[in-house]
Amino acid sequence: MFKKSLFITFILVLSVALLGAQAQAFNLTVGQGADAVTLDPHGENDQPSSRVRSQIYETLVYQDTDLELLPGLATEWEHVDELVWEFKLREGVMFHNGEEFNAYDAQFTLERLADPETAADGAFIVGFLDYVEVIDDYTIRIHTEYPFAPMLSHLAHPVTGMLNQQAVEEAGDDYGTQYAIGTGPFEFVDWSTGSHIDLRRFEDYWGENAQAETVRMRAIPENTVRAIEVETGGVDIAYDIDPVDEERLEGVDGLYLQKYDTLSTSYIGFNADKEPFDDVRVRRAINHAIDKEAITEFVYTGQAVTASGPLSANVWGANTDLEPYAYDPDLAATLLEEAGYEDGFSTTIWTNDNPLRMQIAEMVQSDLRQIGVDVEIQVLEWGTYLQDTGDGLHDMFILGWVSVTGDADYGLYALFHEDNFGSAGNRTFWSSPRVNELLDLGRASADPDERYEAYMEAQEIIAEEAPWVFLIHTSAVNALRDNISNFEPHPAGHHRLKDVVKD
């Protein structure tokens, strides 16, 4: 009798274990609007790449969905003095290649990112870095060239994801395309360029293992196609559903929509290094000539607010008192006449194949025609678009920026400081000595009030000088199959998929 009861208990335990195993044995497919450019965190600093890399790599500090800074691969830290921070590193963390993470990898990662020879787009994230000192296998000290207030939020940025030195050096130029080795919950398997990237659950992950056995990140540039894919079950999660599809998918059986506030802004950038956009009167004229309220209403129905400056109100240090450029074609024509362009001029506006940006380009083309400016719309492939705007080959371009750290430094320094001309972020090639000074002060000062005042003044000058048409600050909508749970959208857009469950 005892043996029979013991056998039944064994069968029950085995059954529960098998059911548990079956519950975790699922594949997750996610659709996003573009393919990654590179899986090397020190390559292109773009959103599609970051969304994949955030599954593969981990940072010393983790910023959660409430933008709270938490331990990541560093378990604790202290400010030794105004130029030195000490970090204790997590022990027992394995890279996907079987190497153990230690202080030398952290040193290699941060110094490689800062090294001009790496030419990393995200190098500005560690622009404060002097050098990294290894104290022991699990302790580093970061020495900075100047006091840097937003240090911890910068170390939470995906470009600082920890690399394995051996893996990077062995892969050489193939790192980021053929190889990508991190400590994250998913490891890189394969990349079919232009189609999808496959990831696999990392079984030796230091924390609780990911729920999904595999993740496929599909590139689906057409917004409507992406919406149809989630509607028909081709993907489990579709990022960035556009307003038209949001209305159509609302209430559809088998789906639910998840709307969230972002740290994003969309803008039209001028090439201030070329005529006629080197004249502030022309830049202001175009700001007045474009009906931004119409763009907000017709293109981004319910998913945006019209911008008056470069930062979303959700970002610390945003100046929310800036006066927007009113839609005033007569004033725009007057400004053009003052600048010597009373007969208008011909120019181009670049966009990638993002449908919303293409719609914006068409509305801008129509608006500017009213003041005699003839605009040709040119649609470029994403990689070429980033490269050529970084090289300054454009007249006007449409782009977005996510202030990933939630701090004004990130949303302003890369985009408006002259040290970041080109691919580092300042694709307008506009600069102001006073703005440079204020942005330097804002990142160096340990006094929050002093930082705040510096950012207020900097944004006033930027708004007045108008290197951008300040378009919109966006919210975003993801669509999920109704058997998907535990998905928490991150305001920076780097949604982590580790805990997502598929029933």
Side-chain angles (χ1 to χ4, degrees), residues 41 45 50 53-55 57-74 77 85 87 109-110 113 122 125-126 128 142 148-162 263 403-407 410 490 492-496:
N45 182 25
S50 292
R53 295 193 298 238
S54 293
Q55 320 309 321
Y57 300 96
E58 295 178 300
T59 49
L60 296 180
V61 180
Y62 172 60
Q63 194 165 33
D64 70 9
T65 55
D66 295 323
L67 302 181
E68 185 178 355
L69 296 167
L70 303 171
L73 292 182
W77 48 81
W85 292 70
F87 292 82
T109 299
L110 297 177
L113 176 58
I125 290 291
V126 292
F128 54 81
I142 294 178
F148 187 69
M151 157 86 83
L152 295 177
S153 62
H154 276 230
L155 292 180
H157 190 287
V159 302
T160 68
M162 290 293 111
L263 304 170
S403 296
V404 177
T405 65
D407 188 285
Y410 191 89
H490 194 287
H494 311 144
H495 315 305
R496 295 185 110 194

Side-chain angles (χ1 to χ4, degrees), residues 78-87 110-111 125-133 141-152 154-155 443-444:
E78 65 172 329
H79 212 172
V80 177
D81 60 44
E82 66 174 8
L83 296 179
V84 181
W85 292 70
E86 182 170 288
F87 292 82
L110 297 177
E111 292 188 348
I125 290 291
V126 292
F128 54 81
L129 185 64
D130 187 3
Y131 65 97
V132 179
E133 178 185 9
R141 284 188 173 180
I142 294 178
H143 295 253
T144 65
E145 292 184 349
Y146 45 82
F148 187 69
M151 157 86 83
L152 295 177
H154 276 230
L155 292 180
R443 61 177 15 204

Side-chain angles (χ1 to χ4, degrees), residues 101 129 148 163 186 201 225 238 246 286 307 427 447 495:
F101 168 69
L129 185 64
F148 187 69
L163 300 170
F186 293 98
R201 181 170 59 209
V225 174
E246 179 190 1
I286 292 178
R427 297 169 195 268
D447 181 344
H495 315 305

Side-chain angles (χ1 to χ4, degrees), residues 215-274:
V215 171
R216 171 165 288 190
M217 300 289 293
R218 289 182 55 191
I220 309 175
E222 287 286 343
N223 289 346
T224 298
V225 174
R226 200 161 60 253
I228 291 171
E229 285 285 346
V230 72
E231 187 177 7
T232 58
V235 301
D236 299 301
I237 303 171
Y239 293 160
D240 304 327
I241 297 298
D242 79 12
V244 172
D245 292 312
E246 179 190 1
E247 290 182 1
R248 187 176 63 77
L249 294 181
E250 194 76 56
V252 169
D253 287 343
L255 292 178
Y256 65 100
L257 302 177
Q258 203 173 52
K259 188 172 183 176
Y260 63 101
D261 292 331
T262 75
L263 304 170
S264 301
T265 189
S266 292
Y267 65 95
I268 296 171
F270 302 110
N271 189 338
D273 200 33
K274 294 172 64 175

Side-chain angles (χ1 to χ4, degrees), residues 202-438:
F202 179 44
E203 301 295 349
D204 292 326
Y205 183 61
W206 60 268
E208 186 176 339
N209 277 355
Q211 297 290 319
E213 190 172 31
T214 67
V215 171
R216 171 165 288 190
M217 300 289 293
R218 289 182 55 191
I220 309 175
E222 287 286 343
N223 289 346
T224 298
V225 174
R226 200 161 60 253
I228 291 171
E229 285 285 346
V230 72
E231 187 177 7
T232 58
V235 301
D236 299 301
I237 303 171
Y239 293 160
D240 304 327
I241 297 298
D242 79 12
V244 172
D245 292 312
E246 179 190 1
E247 290 182 1
R248 187 176 63 77
L249 294 181
E250 194 76 56
V252 169
D253 287 343
L255 292 178
Y256 65 100
L257 302 177
Q258 203 173 52
K259 188 172 183 176
Y260 63 101
D261 292 331
T262 75
L263 304 170
S264 301
T265 189
S266 292
Y267 65 95
I268 296 171
F270 302 110
N271 189 338
D273 200 33
K274 294 172 64 175
E275 293 182 350
F277 303 111
D278 57 347
D279 190 323
V280 66
R281 292 168 296 186
V282 172
R283 302 195 298 265
R284 289 176 183 157
I286 292 178
N287 262 282
H288 281 298
I290 294 175
D291 189 350
K292 296 180 283 292
E293 293 287 350
I295 290 173
T296 304
E297 181 177 354
F298 295 113
V299 180
Y300 283 89
T301 311
Q303 288 191 13
V305 295
T306 303
S308 57
L311 295 178
S312 158
N314 297 319
V315 177
W316 180 87
N319 188 334
T320 56
D321 294 327
L322 298 174
E323 284 293 324
Y325 281 86
Y327 175 55
D328 190 338
D330 292 337
L331 177 56
T334 300
L335 286 166
L336 276 190
E337 185 176 352
E338 290 176 3
Y341 294 98
E342 59 274 13
D343 295 327
F345 57 87
S346 297
T347 187
T348 60
I349 187 167
W350 287 8
T351 178
N352 66 325
D353 57 2
N354 180 309
L356 297 183
R357 288 180 185 157
M358 292 166 69
Q359 289 181 54
I360 291 172
E362 291 172 359
M363 294 180 74
V364 168
Q365 183 184 50
S366 175
D367 283 343
L368 295 191
R369 189 181 297 123
Q370 306 307 312
I371 59 168
V373 176
D374 181 31
V375 179
E376 178 188 354
I377 299 170
Q378 296 183 358
V379 180
L380 281 72
E381 180 274 330
W382 181 237
T384 304
Y385 184 62
L386 293 177
Q387 180 66 48
D388 287 358
T389 50
D391 290 343
L393 303 181
H394 55 283
D395 291 340
M396 296 189 290
F397 65 100
I398 306 174
L399 203 58
W401 182 262
V402 185
S403 296
V404 177
T405 65
D407 188 285
D409 175 76
Y410 191 89
L412 297 177
Y413 191 84
L415 298 163
F416 299 107
H417 196 288
E418 67 179 8
D419 284 353
N420 296 310
F421 281 165
S423 295
N426 187 346
R427 297 169 195 268
T428 67
F429 299 87
W430 172 87
S431 69
S432 150
R434 179 58 179 162
V435 168
N436 290 339
E437 181 182 351
L438 290 165

